[in-house]
Amino acid sequence: MSYRTRIAGTGSYLPEKVLTNFDIEKLVETTDAWIKERTGIERRHICADDEATTDLALRAANKALESAGITFDQLDMIIFCTVTGDHLMPSSACILQSKLGCKGIPAFDLQAACSGFIYGLSVGDNFIRSGQYKNILLVGAEVIHRYVDYKDRDTCILFGDGAGAVILGRAQPDDHQVVCSTHLGAEGSLADLFFLQAGGSKTPITHELLDRRENFMKMKGREIFKNAVRTMAGACEQAMAFNQLTVEDIDWLIPHQANYRIMEAVAHFFDFPKEKVISIVHEMGNTSAATIPVALDWAFRDGRIKRGQTLLLTAFGAGLTSGSAVVKF
Ligand code: UT7
């Protein structure tokens, strides 16, 4: 017997504190106008000193549970996509499991940077298709601002904190709400385009690395931009061909939210209308693994995305990782 997966509920949370472009003008040599024109970003949300990634994730997860109409004790598994977990060890998934009050269910972190949510969707979808699990909590959450160098104008304008979550459930046999496909990719030979040096087993944190500010992310922005456009556009074409869909069949494109110009260029690449691209990058900047589930939740709650519509999701991030998915929502 084979089963299908549906997105049964969505939730998201952005921290209260806001860092506007005008705040960033005071930190580095940049302007609100430049940031808006080159990225579409106007503000990002930054968590409080006493908040960490699982605090954001917990709020998003509770909203997703409520939206799916199930309670924490009905969950069979937690997949937590993040590059900025509370600790290197234990996993944030285990911490979230305990905060939710679940007992015993498997829980693990998944590290695919900004493509984390699509990777997690693929993993969760396969667990449900196999019949092993019925209800999976899939979270993308980041407190990325703690790895941002607020002296580096190439990166500090881009990133914010946030969490998004979905409940993956088992679809009924005649259900029109299904995850139709997921496609994943990676290109490790280009890993040095987007890097965080200090803190891993190869280069543990030392005073010297801190002096060189290697505890912050470094990115070759222009290269990443070009790769992001090409790769996400290719991933979208792959997903549409696999499902035998044309541009007209897709109700909404939800790309990873890193820069509005990237989203626009991806859409342009395969003649997809800009009006059908979901973007909330102006409000939150790049929240890495959280961007797609947050954008999905916002657009569902504000009435743009409706049940039964066909969604095309695509992501790209450090690794370099990438992926796409088609969801009949
Ligand atoms: O999740 C995936 C990870 N990240 C991304 O997807 C981000 C990908 N990259 C980008 O979004 C863009 O490349 C950036 C927003 C980072 C930069 O925009 P750009 O249009 O690619 O600018 P650029 O790097 O080509 O720089 C153009 C000019 C340069 O000046 P010159 O050399 O032309 O005189 C930069 O020094 O803009 C300058 N510049 C800035 N000026 C004001 C670079 N950053 C800034 C800044 N404010 N923050």
Side-chain angles (χ1 to χ4, degrees):
M1 180 98 183
S2 80
Y3 300 94
R4 302 296 297 276
T5 309
R6 65 187 280 263
I7 295 185
T10 68
S12 65
Y13 176 72
L14 298 179
E16 272 171 38
K17 186 177 165 194
V18 167
L19 193 66
T20 65
N21 291 349
F22 298 105
D23 296 325
I24 291 189
E25 278 183 359
K26 294 180 197 133
L27 304 174
V28 289
E29 204 181 321
T30 191
T31 60
D32 168 60
W34 192 95
I35 301 172
K36 269 204 294 234
E37 189 199 315
R38 295 294 181 122
T39 70
I41 299 168
E42 292 172 27
R43 63 190 79 83
R44 336 85 200 107
H45 294 246
I46 301 294
C47 73
D49 289 347
D50 60 353
E51 273 180 316
T53 307
T54 60
D55 299 314
L56 276 48
L58 179 64
R59 290 172 182 262
N62 277 325
K63 288 187 191 165
L65 285 167
E66 194 188 335
S67 142
I70 65 167
T71 48
F72 67 86
D73 48 346
Q74 289 171 275
L75 289 174
D76 301 313
M77 173 181 259
I78 298 172
I79 305 174
F80 198 125
C81 311
T82 187
V83 283
T84 57
D86 289 11
H87 309 283
L88 264 182
M89 190 178 76
S91 72
S92 291
C94 287
I95 296 172
L96 180 63
Q97 188 224 51
S98 162
K99 284 184 173 173
L100 280 166
C102 309
K103 290 245 180 270
I105 60 166
F108 61 92
D109 286 5
L110 188 157
Q111 210 273 43
C114 300
S115 310
F117 182 77
I118 302 286
Y119 268 67
L121 182 63
S122 188
V123 173
D125 180 36
N126 278 292
F127 270 113
I128 287 177
R129 278 174 186 264
S130 74
Q132 193 170 357
Y133 297 120
K134 271 191 192 163
N135 292 311
I136 298 177
L137 169 62
L138 170 62
V139 181
E142 308 277 7
V143 172
I144 204 154
H145 92 272
R146 299 218 165 100
Y147 303 91
V148 168
D149 186 350
Y150 286 99
K151 292 189 171 182
D152 174 11
R153 71 176 183 174
D154 291 343
T155 52
C156 77
I157 59 168
L158 296 172
F159 295 94
D161 304 336
V166 298
I167 306 297
L168 301 179
R170 185 185 280 179
Q172 298 303 314
D174 56 350
D175 217 324
H176 294 298
Q177 299 170 10
V178 286
V179 174
C180 303
S181 67
T182 57
H183 289 88
L184 306 177
E187 190 46 72
S189 62
L190 297 175
D192 63 345
L193 293 182
F194 193 10
F195 218 83
L196 176 50
Q197 182 78 13
S201 61
K202 187 171 165 73
T203 39
I205 293 175
T206 59
H207 289 295
E208 196 198 333
L209 284 175
L210 291 179
D211 289 344
R212 295 212 311 261
R213 306 182 77 74
E214 296 287 358
N215 52 320
F216 298 120
M217 295 180 293
K218 306 259 187 279
M219 184 181 69
K220 294 190 178 122
R222 219 175 293 183
E223 261 67 44
I224 289 283
F225 190 113
K226 280 189 271 177
N227 274 284
V229 174
R230 210 175 30 238
T231 310
M232 283 196 280
C236 287
E237 286 180 329
Q238 187 181 23
M240 287 197 294
F242 181 83
N243 292 285
Q244 298 182 322
L245 298 175
T246 63
V247 163
E248 287 72 38
D249 299 320
I250 310 287
D251 291 299
W252 298 104
L253 171 64
I254 311 182
H256 169 51
Q257 321 266 301
N259 178 330
Y260 187 68
R261 280 166 55 228
I262 295 180
M263 294 188 238
E264 221 176 15
V266 169
H268 182 71
F269 206 92
F270 61 99
D271 290 329
F272 192 84
K274 273 194 305 192
E275 309 72 55
K276 295 204 295 183
V277 177
I278 301 284
S279 171
I280 59 165
V281 75
H282 61 284
E283 179 59 44
M284 67 171 178
N286 182 348
T287 57
S288 184
T291 67
I292 293 176
V294 175
L296 170 64
D297 183 55
W298 275 44
F300 180 37
R301 284 174 196 262
D302 71 21
R304 271 178 292 173
I305 293 179
K306 295 180 179 58
R307 282 294 181 185
Q309 288 187 328
T310 302
L311 313 180
L312 175 57
L313 319 178
T314 185
F316 175 87
L320 302 175
T321 55
S322 58
S324 60
V326 170
V327 177
K328 285 221 189 303
F329 186 70

